[in-house]
Amino acid sequence: MLRFIVRRLLLLVPILLGLSVLLFAWVRALPGGPAQALLGERATPEAVAAIESQLGLDRPLWEQYLQFLGRAVRLDFGASLQTGQPVIDEMLRRFPATIELAVAALLIAVCVGIPLGYLAARRYGTWVDSLAVTGSLLGVTIPIFFLAYLLKYVFSVELGWLPTAGRADPRARAEHPTGFYVLDGIITGNLDASWDAIQHLILPAVALASIPLAVIVRITRASVLNVVNEDYVRTAEAKGLLPGTITRRHVLKNAMLPVTTVIGLQLGVLLAGAVLTETVFAFAGVGKFMADAIVQRDFPTIQGFILVIAVVYVVINMIVDLVYGLLDPRVRVS
Amino acid sequence: MTLLEVRDLSVTFTRSGQQPVRAVDGVTFDVAAGQSVGIVGESGSGKSVTSLAVMGLLPSRGVSVGGTVTLDGNELTSMDQRELRDVRGRDVAMIFQDPMTSLNPVVTNGKQLVEVLTRHAGLSKGEAKTEAEQLLRRVGIPDPVRRLGEYPHQLSGGMRQRVMIAIAIACRPKLLIADEPTTALDVTIQAQILDLLRTLVAESGCGMIMITHDLGVVAGLCDDVHVMYSGRIVESAGTKDLFARPSHPYTDGLLQSIPRIDDDDPADLLHTIPGSARDTVAWDRGCAFQPRCERAVAECLSGPPAVTELGTPIVPHPVRCLRPVGEDVSLHEGNVAR
Ligand SMILES: Nc1ncnc2c1ncn2[C@@H]1O[C@H](COP(=O)(O)OP(=O)(O)O)[C@@H](O)[C@H]1O
Ligand code: SF4
Ligand SMILES: [Mg+2]
């Protein structure tokens, strides 16, 4: 178990090294170089030279790379060009918001997707099935951006049921010891603040959940359809077991294996989708910060964001593999 | 006393947009209490479908079942799934062909054994565990306590089939159906599993249906044998009688394709029936075996061949053939005369 974790973490080293080279090369390849990109096309040569020496861009490439790497190892990605604060601080401050959003979206996707996929499989060929299949096709094809605006327009602007933007009502007084607003409300005994945070979460979370939800419905449906035809399910029937036991112990337990893998893969999609969703709902998370960074050519932030996301992605996948091992004894790590 | 009565059982698969497939056609046989009955036939002859129909395990959609199956006086074919669930696993149990896929890979051997005991035998989990341990010991699995906590993939194929057998006999069923229980196993293991089944059936006194494509398997195991071809029983007899007097050309071919140790002529060793089971004729047009039959005559294609009784009312030996092996002289002359 420990060896497995260590091995997976060691796997991060080549991944991050490769990524760092790519990122480094990418920034250098910006038209006119990073300094020009930063200052815009009409910048004077003097200004460009000043920025270049300030950022160390006038030194040899390998030296720049080593410096970049040395700093990145210490999580020092430089200062954000938007705020002047260290990139890592800016990200750490915003991470709870994004995690909260991603967890909410994943909860929706899992809690709705698995039962729906199961139902579609058991009602194979009926209208319930067709509805689930069409719906999930729609879910993966509608751009998140569009869906987010649509939800916002219908449920906030037109119906006024839910807040249009932000993470909390700006007038509300609430303390935030952890940065996870829903959790903070519970910790500080301020349940109104939690409820407020949840209301702000619903629309962005639904928008963000659309793709994972659709994918989970499809994979659950396909997986259940496969498993119900397996010999061991027939064995269970031949034993005269009750339908509930067969469903839980023999169908779902096996059908969930591919679903687990897919959920892991969808976490990457969630992080990417957060950039769009957070922008639409002015949700102050890492994603919105990243979107702003792209617009502002804030390349230290972009670099830091991508490296951190890579680490998060690998760690999440490691956790998914561990969970998979718990569910499937055949791949259980000793 | 008759334990199982199968009367005129037929199973038709109806898929929309496709010709219906009659997989089992007018199958009739009995199993007496404590008796072992063999059903023999090539792959695709309808053996598995017959056993699934007896168990009530065929899907409800796209399948129509005719005829009756009566177990111990209770007609299974008129029961709903709820009633059938009480019968399955308790009164009639089944062992499947492939032990690699017939056990749930993500549930321990112990749980798969315990669940059938708690379902039917009214045992608590603790009692069921003790019973499960004894069952594993009975089917010859060493170190049962450890094996109960393990998963199927940690066992060899033979051991998995022993677990399947333990599950099947757990609630002391009146009837055991074994559908090619040794086909997927190594030759050396096959004999061990057959020995085990023979012992268990003798000890418990339950009835057994042994389904196989291998006449060699039924030889030392079954009292009666039914030979199936293309969904119908073509010959039924006591095992000894059948081996001594194979009368359907198909049975005869099957017997000749069993390698014999005392046979010196290498040409005889690998006698096989020409053609394959796919070369067939619909039964209502004639004899389904006709395309592969060396004894076929023109009449074989004029409607379903009638059954000829070659035995006595006490020791029956019916054959569905116009020119049974060993009876050819009279029939042949009859044909010539016509
Ligand atoms: N689910 C099914 N749908 C359609 N046809 C089937 C189905 N299952 C079996 N059959 C048909 O029934 C016939 C008998 O199958 P089976 O009983 O499995 O043969 P075997 O004697 O090898 O056990 C086969 O020819 C097959 O085409
Ligand atoms: S009925 Fe005719 S074709 Fe069929 S087995 Fe007998 S002899 Fe052969
Ligand atoms: Mg079969």
Side-chain angles (χ1 to χ4, degrees):
Chain A
M1 181 76 143
L2 197 67
R3 262 196 28 219
F4 171 79
I5 296 177
V6 170
R7 214 169 40 217
R8 291 301 289 267
L9 288 179
L10 282 180
L11 200 68
L12 261 175
V13 175
I15 293 176
L16 289 179
L17 269 180
L19 245 160
S20 71
V21 172
L22 280 178
L23 281 174
F24 181 78
W26 168 65
V27 169
R28 305 307 117 164
L30 292 175
Q36 180 86 59
L38 202 58
L39 295 172
E41 276 163 33
R42 280 184 297 275
T44 61
E46 293 77 32
V48 170
I51 286 283
E52 281 190 339
S53 85
Q54 187 194 328
L55 296 176
L57 296 174
D58 48 355
R59 270 170 282 162
L61 266 186
W62 62 269
E63 201 183 312
Q64 289 182 39
Y65 175 68
L66 283 186
Q67 193 190 23
F68 165 70
L69 200 63
R71 285 196 186 152
V73 167
R74 280 171 282 134
L75 295 178
D76 175 4
F77 306 111
S80 158
L81 301 179
Q82 300 171 75
T83 64
Q85 298 295 311
V87 167
I88 189 68
D89 291 353
E90 295 284 2
M91 284 205 300
L92 284 179
R93 205 147 52 76
R94 288 172 170 81
F95 244 115
T98 302
I99 293 173
E100 203 170 51
L101 177 59
V103 167
L106 196 64
L107 272 179
I108 294 174
V110 167
C111 296
V112 178
I114 291 177
L116 203 59
Y118 178 78
L119 202 69
R122 285 340 275 273
R123 303 264 184 285
Y124 177 73
T126 66
W127 65 269
V128 180
D129 184 29
S130 316
L131 198 71
V133 171
T134 324
S136 65
L137 196 67
L138 216 62
V140 280
T141 37
I142 287 191
I144 293 191
F145 207 63
F146 176 74
L147 181 63
Y149 269 118
L150 190 71
L151 287 172
K152 185 167 156 172
Y153 180 75
V154 174
F155 293 99
S156 324
V157 180
E158 285 297 316
L159 297 171
W161 290 353
L162 291 161
T164 48
R167 294 186 65 195
D169 189 334
R171 290 158 301 178
R173 286 267 144 256
E175 289 182 45
H176 302 297
T178 66
F180 298 97
Y181 282 15
V182 179
L183 193 66
D184 286 340
I186 295 169
I187 291 175
T188 59
N190 187 350
L191 289 183
D192 287 345
S194 281
W195 177 233
D196 181 45
I198 289 173
Q199 284 183 311
H200 279 83
L201 263 176
I202 291 175
L203 288 184
V206 168
L208 189 54
S210 63
I211 292 179
L213 170 65
V215 173
I216 289 173
V217 168
R218 301 184 71 129
I219 200 80
T220 305
R221 173 180 176 274
S223 182
V224 169
L225 281 178
N226 260 328
V227 169
V228 292
N229 285 319
E230 290 284 352
D231 286 352
Y232 52 78
V233 174
R234 194 187 50 195
T235 305
E237 304 267 7
K239 285 151 97 174
L241 300 180
L242 298 173
T245 314
I246 297 179
T247 300
R248 261 180 291 111
R249 193 174 295 157
H250 297 284
V251 176
L252 278 182
K253 231 179 154 182
N254 282 285
M256 279 309 108
L257 296 177
V259 179
T260 318
T261 311
V262 161
I263 290 174
L265 294 173
Q266 288 303 311
L267 285 167
V269 177
L270 279 182
L271 291 173
V275 174
L276 299 171
T277 320
E278 290 183 2
T279 305
V280 173
F281 289 98
F283 198 88
V286 188
K288 172 148 185 356
F289 192 55
M290 175 69 180
D292 293 344
I294 293 171
V295 174
Q296 311 255 342
R297 297 173 187 252
D298 180 358
F299 64 84
T301 299
I302 300 175
Q303 282 178 339
F305 180 84
I306 292 177
L307 283 178
V308 169
I309 292 302
V311 176
V312 170
Y313 196 60
V314 172
V315 170
I316 285 175
N317 273 293
M318 184 176 79
I319 294 171
V320 169
D321 283 357
L322 284 174
V323 171
Y324 195 95
L326 288 181
L327 294 177
D328 189 349
R330 286 166 298 183
V331 299
R332 190 162 295 169
V333 282
S334 45
Chain B
M1 199 198 80
T2 314
L3 173 65
L4 181 80
E5 271 183 28
V6 177
R7 288 290 170 272
D8 204 20
L9 182 71
S10 19
V11 179
T12 311
F13 291 96
T14 48
R15 289 216 198 109
S16 53
Q18 278 179 28
Q19 282 289 104
V21 178
R22 174 151 292 201
V24 175
D25 197 352
V27 164
T28 294
F29 67 94
D30 283 351
V31 180
Q35 191 192 28
S36 290
V37 168
I39 297 182
V40 183
E42 278 169 321
S43 169
S45 55
K47 308 181 299 291
S48 295
V49 174
T50 302
S51 60
L52 292 176
V54 170
M55 294 285 289
L57 280 177
L58 289 167
S60 50
R61 270 205 272 175
V63 180
S64 64
V65 179
T68 57
V69 176
T70 311
L71 180 75
D72 230 7
N74 302 310
E75 197 187 316
L76 303 185
T77 28
S78 63
M79 288 185 180
D80 61 20
Q81 281 297 320
R82 237 191 50 192
E83 295 168 296
L84 276 173
R85 273 198 289 274
D86 288 338
V87 175
R88 287 199 292 253
R90 190 190 66 193
D91 298 333
V92 46
M94 190 155 174
I95 303 162
F96 295 97
Q97 176 171 347
D98 191 349
M100 294 307 185
T101 56
S102 296
L103 288 166
N104 187 336
V106 303
V107 174
T108 60
N109 303 317
K111 183 142 233 161
Q112 299 191 54
L113 194 41
V114 163
E115 65 181 0
V116 71
L117 288 164
T118 50
R119 165 79 175 95
H120 294 298
L123 300 185
S124 71
K125 272 208 178 121
E127 294 165 336
K129 257 192 191 141
T130 319
E131 178 70 21
E133 204 184 306
Q134 277 161 11
L135 280 164
L136 284 198
R137 209 165 274 133
R138 255 183 91 194
V139 297
I141 294 183
D143 202 356
V145 180
R146 195 182 97 226
R147 294 307 193 186
L148 283 176
E150 288 184 347
Y151 291 89
H153 73 277
Q154 290 164 292
L155 300 173
S156 67
M159 284 296 156
R160 286 192 216 188
Q161 198 59 304
R162 285 174 197 265
V163 173
M164 280 298 295
I165 293 172
I167 292 172
I169 62 166
C171 300
R172 300 165 213 279
K174 298 170 191 156
L175 178 69
L176 196 61
I177 304 180
D179 186 357
E180 310 215 29
T182 59
T183 305
L185 302 174
D186 288 347
V187 184
T188 45
I189 313 291
Q190 289 186 3
Q192 293 173 14
I193 296 292
L194 290 176
D195 269 348
L196 174 66
L197 281 173
R198 194 186 350 253
T199 314
L200 290 173
V201 167
E203 276 174 12
S204 68
C206 70
M208 175 163 79
I209 300 177
M210 169 59 75
I211 290 173
T212 174
H213 62 267
D214 182 357
L215 263 177
V217 166
V218 299
L221 201 60
C222 300
D223 308 303
D224 284 354
V225 185
H226 305 277
V227 180
M228 266 185 100
Y229 193 84
S230 197
R232 283 199 179 215
I233 292 179
V234 293
E235 181 168 7
S236 303
T239 308
K240 276 204 191 111
D241 192 12
L242 188 91
F243 276 75
R245 213 161 42 117
S247 302
H248 195 281
Y250 175 61
T251 316
D252 192 43
L254 279 182
L255 262 178
Q256 286 187 41
S257 54
I258 301 177
R260 257 174 255 151
I261 325 159
D262 57 339
D263 199 332
D264 290 335
D265 186 353
D268 281 358
L269 269 179
L270 283 174
H271 179 277
T272 47
I273 305 168
S276 84
R278 279 189 304 277
D279 313 323
T280 188
V281 171
W283 278 110
D284 26 306
R285 279 192 45 225
C287 174
F289 189 58
Q290 187 272 341
R292 305 169 68 187
C293 184
E294 287 163 355
R295 303 172 59 79
V297 289
E299 281 84 349
C300 297
L301 281 183
S302 53
V307 174
T308 312
E309 179 54 76
L310 301 178
T312 64
I314 301 159
V315 192
H317 186 156
V319 181
R320 188 182 296 279
C321 175
L322 297 182
R323 302 186 60 215
V325 179
E327 312 282 320
D328 39 323
V329 186
S330 58
L331 274 165
H332 193 71
E333 281 169 359
N335 283 327
V336 169
R338 231 171 277 164

